[in-house]
Amino acid sequence: MLLSHGGEPLRTAGPVARWTVEQVLALAPDDASRKAGSKLGSAGPWSGGGCDGPGAVWGLCKGSGSKPYQTVVDTTGPAYKCSCPSRKFPCKHALGLLLVWASGESALPAGEVPDWAGEWLTGRRERAAQKGEQGGPAAGGASVAGPADPEAARRRAERRAGRITGGAQELEQRLADLLRGGLAAADQSGYGLWEETAARMVDAQAPGLAARVRELGSIPASGPGWPVRLLEECALLHLLDSAWLGISRLPEPLAATVRTRVGLTAPAEGPPIRDHWLVLAQYDTPDSRIVTRRIWLYGRESGRTALLLSFGAAGRSPGLALPVGVTIDAEITLHPGAGRLRAELGRQFGVPSPAATPPPGGTAATAIGAYGDALRDDPWLDAWPVTLREVIPVPSGDGWQLVDATGEAALPLAPSALSRPGLWKLVALSGGSPVTVFGECGHRGFDPFAAWSADADGAAGGAGISGADTTSETVPLI
């Protein structure tokens, strides 16, 4: 069965820069695919391979059957097609092919696209040309037309809002009962009661409330000090309930944030922002039903940080994938809400290019201040994206912290970062010297996602705002 997946190709104006091994492996949907793809990352199992200037890479991979698997990748999407039966995107063959391509020109020389790959590539490029002539799709691929029946859509929205209100009122009663009985006894009721309450929130079409209720259920088993953490989370949930029940009295930016927090998504709106976007990080967070992919971008001209979200069914990787460390010339459209971080990726122009310089950063104190300012607009915010410049990873007790080179301030690393291999990559990159690190600063500490060496810091300082003619490698940490 032939499988393909990915975004629309770009209208290329020159040869596509080869990716690094780190950038290829960052596209893997899971660790198993990353390991399997690495085993196919040499020229041995491949034949009939090649690449072309517009960004196509193809090859035949020897498998267990009599016929080799036909694998082709459009790196400008990126998008993948393989004749293997895997339902993962990219599959191990696509990852292996890209690893061979990343190793150098001798492994996959430039050549003519074979017929078996050309039909798929031609179809993709023709669709891109047609959309360009028609002005391109709306951000995120949505139609520019409004709903077929606005009145029916309004009635559906009102009915859902009514169900969410009923769920919020029921949840308020549940919180009151919990506090009346005492938090110390919350662990005796077990997780089942919380899961039942979460299911009621799902029935009320409030998935955001349901997720927070499930988090409450896991706190009694989180170790010493859990009653304090449970009280904090109950207070935040009560604040969200109260905000929804009084949403008509809130200013619109805060009201949009409340709607998003309870689970009402709003489409991206407003004029698109075109910029040269550096891909800072890409990582997946699976749960029992879906896989959420988060991609962080930084706009070189606008100075804006943006978050792209895509989703996939359990066991399948989400659709959108961008190599970490490249820069794309593209448009994004922002979603409403406080901070306006989330965005939809729109039209892309040209071809991805190597990153120029890391984003401008600040001190640990500046990062804490940025998170505090963001909390003022969104009290339910767990963390805020920041870049720390000239910090050194230093062990501290049972954990690690990032200390300013001046020694004036430090940020502890979040517990989730301590068990990831990225911590040791960060320590090795630093070697005791200052580095630049991008990540999220929140109440649990700093979670690092990408880093740049001291050489990149120096290049950034000497390259000016545009960072022209200077490239530096982005080291993924997640």
Side-chain angles (χ1 to χ4, degrees):
M1 178 175 61
L2 293 178
L3 300 174
S4 64
H5 194 66
E8 287 302 317
L10 309 182
R11 293 180 293 282
T12 58
V16 175
R18 288 179 186 262
W19 300 347
T20 65
V21 171
E22 292 272 10
Q23 291 169 343
V24 173
L25 293 178
L27 297 175
D30 50 43
D31 288 336
S33 298
R34 190 175 294 111
K35 293 177 181 178
S38 297
K39 294 179 180 179
L40 299 175
S42 61
W46 295 94
S47 62
C51 61
D52 69 359
V57 184
W58 63 86
L60 302 174
C61 185
K62 182 180 179 181
S64 57
S66 58
K67 294 183 178 180
Y69 293 120
Q70 298 176 337
T71 308
V72 57
V73 179
D74 184 352
T75 60
T76 64
Y80 325 89
K81 183 177 182 181
C82 185
S83 58
C84 75
S86 174
R87 296 181 64 83
K88 295 181 179 180
F89 300 103
C91 67
K92 64 180 182 181
H93 305 102
L95 289 171
L97 179 64
L98 288 172
L99 287 172
V100 175
W101 175 63
S103 66
E105 296 181 5
S106 60
L108 292 174
E112 293 293 328
V113 180
D115 293 340
W116 59 265
E119 183 178 354
W120 178 71
L121 289 166
T122 301
R124 285 177 50 77
R125 291 167 181 171
E126 287 178 350
R127 289 194 299 271
Q130 291 173 358
K131 289 185 176 180
E133 293 172 358
Q134 297 169 2
S143 171
V144 295
D149 187 346
E151 182 61 26
R154 184 188 62 79
R155 290 195 298 268
R156 287 194 298 271
E158 289 179 350
R159 288 195 296 269
R160 183 177 181 183
R163 284 190 286 268
I164 294 175
T165 297
Q169 292 171 339
E170 180 180 344
L171 184 54
E172 280 293 280
Q173 184 61 50
R174 174 73 182 91
L175 292 175
D177 293 342
L178 173 65
L179 295 176
R180 189 178 298 111
L183 291 179
D187 60 336
Q188 300 176 4
S189 59
Y191 189 77
L193 182 59
W194 294 106
E195 184 59 35
E196 178 184 348
T197 305
R200 298 293 295 272
M201 296 303 103
V202 172
D203 293 340
Q205 295 184 286
L209 295 180
R212 287 188 169 271
V213 169
R214 291 192 176 99
E215 290 179 5
L216 289 182
S218 65
I219 291 177
S222 62
W226 66 263
V228 174
R229 293 191 293 274
L230 182 60
L231 179 60
E232 292 172 348
E233 293 301 322
C234 285
L236 285 173
L237 187 52
H238 168 67
L239 181 63
L240 183 56
D241 282 342
S242 301
W244 173 262
L245 296 175
I247 196 169
S248 61
R249 301 189 297 271
L250 300 179
E252 181 50 35
L254 182 57
T257 298
V258 171
R259 286 191 287 267
T260 300
R261 291 297 181 184
V262 301
L264 282 174
T265 57
E269 60 184 21
I273 302 172
R274 181 176 177 179
D275 206 337
H276 291 85
W277 300 96
L278 168 61
V279 183
L280 297 169
Q282 172 180 291
Y283 61 97
D284 296 344
T285 51
D287 62 22
S288 59
R289 297 180 181 178
I290 63 171
V291 178
T292 303
R293 173 165 294 168
R294 291 172 169 83
I295 301 177
W296 285 104
L297 306 176
Y298 174 77
R300 192 171 68 190
E301 284 80 25
S302 64
R304 176 183 290 275
T305 302
L307 174 63
L308 307 180
L309 295 181
S310 60
F311 305 92
R316 297 190 62 180
S317 60
L320 184 61
L322 295 173
V324 174
V326 304
T327 298
I328 59 173
D329 181 5
E331 294 177 341
I332 66 168
T333 305
L334 302 177
H335 283 258
R340 304 204 73 180
L341 284 177
R342 186 183 174 188
E344 293 291 338
L345 184 63
R347 295 176 59 192
Q348 300 181 48
F349 309 88
V351 298
S353 61
T357 58
T363 64
T366 302
I368 296 173
Y371 177 51
D373 291 341
L375 279 176
R376 180 181 56 208
D377 299 324
D378 183 356
W380 307 277
L381 190 67
D382 287 328
W384 185 256
V386 295
T387 300
L388 300 177
R389 184 172 292 278
E390 295 189 347
V391 292
I392 304 172
V394 176
S396 174
D398 295 333
W400 286 75
Q401 58 184 355
L402 295 177
V403 181
D404 286 337
T406 60
E408 296 180 356
L411 280 175
L413 291 187
S416 58
L418 301 179
S419 59
R420 293 200 304 259
L423 170 61
W424 304 111
K425 292 168 65 177
L426 175 61
V427 173
L429 179 69
S430 167
S433 299
V435 291
T436 296
V437 186
F438 168 79
E440 291 183 353
C441 179
H443 61 90
R444 297 182 181 91
F446 185 84
D447 200 355
F449 295 159
W452 298 264
S453 66
D455 293 338
D457 288 345
I465 297 176
S466 65
D469 302 323
T470 306
T471 60
S472 55
E473 181 180 357
T474 302
V475 179
L477 302 178
I478 188 171

